[in-house]
Amino acid sequence: MSHVVQEKWSSGTAFLLAAIGSAVGLGNIYRFPYVVGENGGGAFVLLYLGIVIVFGIPLVMTELTIGRRRQVPPITAYTQLSEGKKSQPFWIFAGYSSVITPLGILGFYFVIAGWTLNYVFKILTGKLSNLAEGDTQAVFADMMASPGTLIFWMTLSVIITAFIISRGIKAGLEKAVNILMPMLFVILLSLVAYSAFNGGMAETFEFMFTPDFEKINMKTLLEATGQAFFSLSLGSATMLVYGSYLPKEVSIPKMACGVAFADTFVALVSGFAIFPIIFTNGMELNSGPGLVFETLPVIFDQMPFGNVFGIMFFLLLAFAAITSTISLFEPAVSNLEERGIFTRRKASLVVGIGLWCLAALSALSLNVLSDWHPLAFNSTLENKNIMDLLEYLSANGMMLVNALFAAIFLGWIVNRKESLEELGLGDSWLFKFWRSIIKYVVPPIVGYLIIDFLGYGLI
Ligand code: PHE
C-alpha cells in the first residue's frame, strides 16, 4: 500500500542526534527541575532514575523495534505486524491512538515553545534588564494576558517546525539537529560551568541526591513515570517513526541506551545549571512552572554577565523545544505521505494549520478563554481549560496508554522471532530479560498507573 519509499537517516549517529533532540526538550530543562522541586528532591530523582532504567530503556527498544521492523509509519506498522490476528482492528486503533497523541501534546507544547522564543527576544531587547522586585512576575503575566503576543510567538514555532518537516528527513530533520544539538550541548555545559563558578553546587548535590523516602507515594510514582515517559518521548509515535527511518544495520539496544543516557544526563545537568543559581540567591524552589520564566530572569538580571547567560539559557530552551516539536509533528506527516493522501509538503502545511488552530485555542485559554472549561461535567477536569486538558489527557494519560499498548503488542501479539531478529541480541539472556520486562513487568505496573490515573476522578 506504500506509495512512497521512506527516506532513512544517513547513519546511526544521525538517528541518535535526532532521537536525543526529540527526548531532550522542555521536559528536561523546563519541567524536570520544577517537578523535582515540587516533589522534594532526592527521592524523586532516584525513583526517576530507576524508572528510566527498568521501564524507559526497554520501552524505547520496544517502540524502535515496532517502527523499524517493516520500515513503515506507525499506523501501518501496527497493521502489518498484526496481520492475520483476530485482534488486528484493535491494534490498528492503537496505531491511530499513538499518532493522535503527539498532536494533542503539540497543542500545548507549541505555546510554551512560543514563550521561550518570546523570552529570547525579550532578553535581547533589554526587556528583562534592570528589574525591580516582582517585575519578572509582571512581565510573565503580561505575556500570558496578551493573546497577540502568545499567538505571534506560537505561530513562529509552528512555522519553523513545519518548514523543517516539509524538507524531509535528511535535508530537514537531520540538518536541523546537526546544527541545533551541538549548540545545545555547548550552551548547557557553559551554563553549568557558570553556575559552578557562582557556588551552590554542594547544596544542589545534596538536594538532588539525598533521598527522603517518606516523600514517595503513589502520586509521586505516577508523576515520576509520567515525567520519564514524556522525557523519553515514549507513547507518542515519535520513537516508532524515528525507528522506521533507522537503517537495519544499526543496533537498537545501543541506540536506546544512548538516548536514555543522554536524556537523563541533560535532565540532571539542567538541575545543576538551575538549582545552584536559585540556592546562592536564596530564592524559593517550589515555585512550579514560574521557576524558569519568573525566578531565573531576576537572578540573571543581578548576576555578573547574567544577561549573556540569560540569552544563552532561553536559546537553549528554544532549541530543545524545536528539536522536540519536529519529532511530535513527524508521525502524522509520515502517515499522510505514505498513504499518498498528500505530498510531504502539503501534509506539513495541512497538519501545521490544524495544529495552529489547536495551539491558538490553548494560547487563548490562558487569557480570554480562561473560564471555558470544556469538560466541566467531570469532577477532575472541571477546572481545566483547553491547555490544561491537552496536557493532562495527552501527556499524562494517553502516553501511558500508548506505551502499554506497545509493550503488550510486541510482548504478546507479535511473533517472538520478529523482535529476536530486529534487536540483534541473539537468543541471549539480555534478550530474554528485555522480553520478560515488556511482557510481565510493564503491563501490570503501567496498567495499574493508568487505573490509578483514571481513579483521580476521571471515571
Ligand atoms: N521528550 C520531549 C521533552 O522532554 C517531549 C516529547 C514527548 C517529544 C513525546 C516527543 C514525543 O520535552
Side-chain angles (χ1 to χ4, degrees):
M1 72 166 348
S2 176
H3 293 73
V4 188
V5 178
Q6 291 212 105
E7 257 191 286
K8 297 277 165 294
W9 303 114
S10 17
S11 63
T13 321
F15 161 82
L16 204 57
L17 269 192
I20 293 173
S22 166
V24 170
L26 297 171
N28 304 58
I29 304 164
Y30 161 69
R31 198 164 187 280
F32 184 79
Y34 84 74
V35 176
V36 169
E38 282 175 347
N39 287 285
F44 184 85
V45 172
L46 288 183
L47 186 63
Y48 180 85
L49 294 178
I51 291 169
V52 168
I53 293 170
V54 178
F55 296 152
I57 296 176
L59 278 170
V60 175
M61 285 166 66
T62 303
E63 296 195 358
L64 292 178
T65 303
I66 298 176
R68 190 175 71 176
R69 189 60 189 150
R70 298 276 187 276
Q71 303 194 299
V72 287
I75 299 173
T76 316
Y78 269 104
T79 312
Q80 293 189 0
L81 289 169
S82 60
E83 209 73 70
K85 310 271 180 209
K86 269 214 228 53
S87 55
Q88 192 188 33
F90 178 79
W91 296 111
I92 297 177
F93 161 79
Y96 275 96
S97 160
S98 72
V99 173
I100 287 168
T101 304
L103 302 177
I105 297 176
L106 280 177
F108 69 88
Y109 208 96
F110 270 140
V111 177
I112 307 180
W115 300 352
T116 67
L117 294 173
N118 182 223
Y119 265 65
V120 173
F121 177 74
K122 277 196 191 339
I123 203 162
L124 276 174
T125 50
K127 298 253 163 39
L128 292 172
S129 309
N130 305 321
L131 300 168
E133 181 93 35
D135 278 358
T136 54
Q137 270 99 328
V139 169
F140 188 64
D142 279 351
M143 176 181 78
M144 299 292 260
S146 158
T149 310
L150 290 176
I151 291 185
F152 176 83
W153 294 97
M154 173 279 281
T155 307
L156 196 61
S157 70
V158 177
I159 292 176
I160 297 173
T161 307
F163 174 74
I164 296 174
I165 295 287
S166 71
R167 299 177 49 92
I169 306 306
K170 290 204 177 76
L173 284 83
E174 231 177 271
K175 204 160 170 196
V177 296
N178 277 340
I179 300 171
L180 296 178
M181 293 309 287
M183 295 213 276
L184 187 145
F185 278 105
V186 171
I187 296 181
L188 184 64
L189 295 178
S190 326
L191 283 172
V192 180
Y194 176 67
S195 260
F197 186 72
N198 285 291
M201 278 292 167
E203 275 154 283
T204 302
F205 209 85
E206 194 183 322
F207 177 70
M208 298 247 288
F209 296 115
T210 315
D212 172 0
F213 288 106
E214 272 171 22
K215 295 215 166 105
I216 292 195
N217 53 37
M218 265 319 283
K219 213 162 177 261
T220 26
L221 182 64
L222 185 65
E223 182 114 25
T225 312
Q227 174 65 25
F229 284 19
F230 187 78
S231 194
L232 291 170
S233 305
L234 289 166
S236 52
T238 288
M239 288 297 165
L240 301 176
V241 85
Y242 275 23
S244 75
Y245 305 140
L246 185 61
K248 282 281 185 188
E249 65 277 6
V250 179
S251 156
I252 286 182
K254 280 192 194 139
M255 293 293 118
C257 291
V259 173
F261 176 81
D263 184 59
T264 309
F265 177 77
V266 173
L268 294 176
V269 169
S270 302
F272 276 94
I274 294 175
F275 293 141
I277 307 186
I278 307 266
F279 290 141
T280 42
N281 287 275
M283 310 285 267
E284 277 302 312
L285 234 192
N286 47 7
S287 49
L291 181 63
V292 159
F293 290 100
E294 293 171 352
T295 312
L296 285 184
V298 181
I299 304 170
F300 287 139
D301 189 31
Q302 293 162 358
M303 290 169 85
F305 305 108
N307 254 335
V308 177
F309 284 92
I311 293 170
M312 286 171 64
F313 179 78
F314 286 107
L315 266 183
L316 170 75
L317 270 182
F319 292 168
I322 296 296
T323 53
S324 297
T325 54
I326 55 179
S327 75
L328 288 155
F329 200 109
E330 177 64 22
V333 170
S334 150
N335 277 292
L336 289 170
E337 187 190 20
E338 178 229 19
R339 287 172 183 234
I341 301 176
F342 293 118
T343 59
R344 171 167 280 269
R345 287 179 61 186
K346 278 221 184 81
S348 314
L349 185 68
V350 171
V351 174
I353 292 174
L355 284 172
W356 183 87
C357 296
L358 192 62
L361 279 178
S362 260
L364 294 179
S365 73
L366 295 170
N367 38 67
V368 286
L369 296 181
S370 64
D371 290 331
W372 186 34
H373 303 137
L375 302 183
F377 52 83
N378 174 289
S379 61
T380 310
L381 306 178
E382 64 186 352
N383 291 322
K384 296 200 187 304
N385 59 32
I386 306 243
M387 187 158 168
D388 299 336
L389 280 174
L390 285 171
E391 177 175 355
Y392 191 69
L393 296 177
S394 58
N396 297 12
M398 290 310 295
M399 289 186 91
L400 291 178
V401 172
N402 295 326
L404 175 68
F405 285 163
I408 297 179
F409 186 61
L410 204 58
W412 293 93
I413 306 295
V414 177
N415 195 324
R416 178 176 192 270
K417 206 179 97 230
E418 308 260 10
S419 357
L420 188 63
E421 281 177 20
E422 207 57 38
L423 285 175
L425 293 170
D427 207 347
S428 59
W429 71 266
L430 255 179
F431 175 76
K432 292 187 181 120
F433 184 64
W434 163 78
R435 212 169 130 80
S436 318
I437 296 225
I438 65 157
K439 279 184 84 155
Y440 307 113
V441 183
V442 171
I445 298 189
V446 177
Y448 183 76
L449 290 175
I450 293 169
I451 294 172
D452 207 58
F453 171 78
L454 294 173
Y456 286 115
L458 269 188
I459 47 174

